[in-house]
Amino acid sequence: MHKKISSALISVYHKDNLEPIIKKLNELGVELFSTGGTLKFINELGIEANAVEKMTTYPSIFGGRVKTLHPVIFGGILYRRDNPEDVIQASEFEIPSIDLVIVDLYPFEETVKSGASEADIIEKIDIGGISLIRAAAKNYKDVLIVSSRNQYTELQEILDAGSGETTIEERKRFAAHAFNTSSHYDTAIFNYFNATENISSFKNSTLHGKTLRYGENPHQEGIFFGNLDKVFHQLHGKEISYNNLVDIEAAVSLIREFEGEKAFAILKHTNACGVAVASTVKKAYLKAFEADTLSAFGGVLISNSEIDLETAEEIDKLFFEVLLAPSFTTEALEVLKSKKNRVLLKLNEYPENKVVFKSLLGGVIQQGANNKTDSEGDLTQVTNLKATQNQIEDMLFASKICKHTKSNAIVLAKDGQMLASGVGQTSRVDALQQAIKKAKTFGFDLIGASLASDAFFPFADSVELAYKAGITSIIQPGGSKKDQDSIDFCNNHDMAMVFTGTRHFKH
């Protein structure tokens, strides 16, 4: 069902790219209605438009809070053109039809992010605009609603192609986008208020999604909702996959733990298979690679420092999926771009995650993000033999990695290098056995190494196993009813143990 646009109501906050639309509507002989700054903008183009105040016989009142909220305006949008009673009432009350509504809402989210005062934020809650959007979208059979400046190009194409006529399919599609806009806007407002009210309600909204090649497996669909450009910029390589993104999230979360140090990490299936800190990026990479030269194949690599030529030449020897870094030298990029599918990403900023959530049992589970990083001030020395400064540094290093490792997790480290890890095991003993075996497989001497555990030891068996492997210092949360058994074993075997008081389960 085609509809000719004879009249349009235009009320926008941003005027960018609006001029061609106004001129096209004028060329088509469309009668224009407008408000405030938009009306002034239209008039300055030399085009006539009717002030909303003349339609309603009311001025803009209460500092602009009430402009379009009037039966003449909403009647013109909502009356059904194919309903005889509606048509009679529109004529009786001299309500003009409005066939096109163009609205751009007050920038509420941007105002919140700017750190503005509460008074300024409240004033950026759009009332008239959001009401116009909902009204026009509801009556999509008769009205076209443009609810975002991002739709101006498509609107221009419709006006050009149809000489001002729209199809029912176009109007319904624009209506769907309008309700997307309005629901997102209301969600942002609710979440602003709920930051202090703590109403138990889950609302999260992202306007834009990126369709991925597929999901976790080729037979699954995959979409990312969010703004990847804010986190990184792709410099080279194939399209990023669902699994790449999951690993990138794990890599970014891990590497941010090492602020102030030159750190390098290699991950596979979200778990670190190599992590190291060193005086140069090249040394850090080589130490990380040594931890597991087998699993590094096809992995995701990340550095918190610039990739230089020397480092790039070493990394170039390895087949990998993704490399992230805050910057790359020109020479390094030339080397790394030699393989066309390698994904090279410039890390822009770390995403701020205050809450995390995931789908579960047909619903959603949410929790506060684990933003706690164990520090020296958190440690309680619980054994007779106190940990040395070097041991403390190694234990804290291992603890940072352990926090980002699937439970049950054990991480072994020495001299700023991860030696091995036990990942995702059903018992802590199994995780430690896995870590010890892996360390020996890659030729590491565990004498003097440090051990980090994501949770307490329920028995002393893990401590005994660590002792037999040559490990001399242990960091763990503590909190078991049998903590004393582990402490006693350490005291009897000249081992140092510290408690952090913080568990770091990761499921």
Side-chain angles (χ1 to χ4, degrees), residues 211-235:
T211 301
L212 305 173
R213 284 179 288 161
Y214 50 80
E216 201 163 9
N217 298 291
H219 64 278
Q220 295 171 272
E221 295 179 354
I223 304 174
F224 174 81
F225 295 99
N227 184 5
L228 290 175
D229 293 336
K230 186 176 180 181
V231 182
F232 58 73
H233 173 62
Q234 185 164 355
L235 303 173

Side-chain angles (χ1 to χ4, degrees), residues 36 80 83 108 117 155 198 266 295 311 341 383 465 487 494:
R80 293 158 290 189
N83 184 304
F108 177 80
S117 67
L155 173 60
N198 295 315
I266 304 171
S295 296
T311 308
N341 287 331
T383 51
L465 188 62
I487 294 170
D494 295 326

Side-chain angles (χ1 to χ4, degrees), residues 155 354 410:
L155 173 60
K354 294 182 180 179
I410 294 289

Side-chain angles (χ1 to χ4, degrees), residues 96-134:
S97 66
I98 298 174
D99 309 314
L100 168 66
V101 176
I102 304 176
V103 177
D104 179 30
L105 297 172
Y106 290 165
F108 177 80
E109 289 180 279
E110 292 85 345
T111 305
V112 172
K113 290 176 183 177
S114 73
S117 67
E118 182 173 74
D120 287 339
I121 290 170
I122 297 303
E123 287 307 311
K124 288 300 185 288
I125 297 176
D126 204 313
I127 303 300
I130 204 78
S131 301
L132 291 170
I133 286 174
R134 291 176 62 83

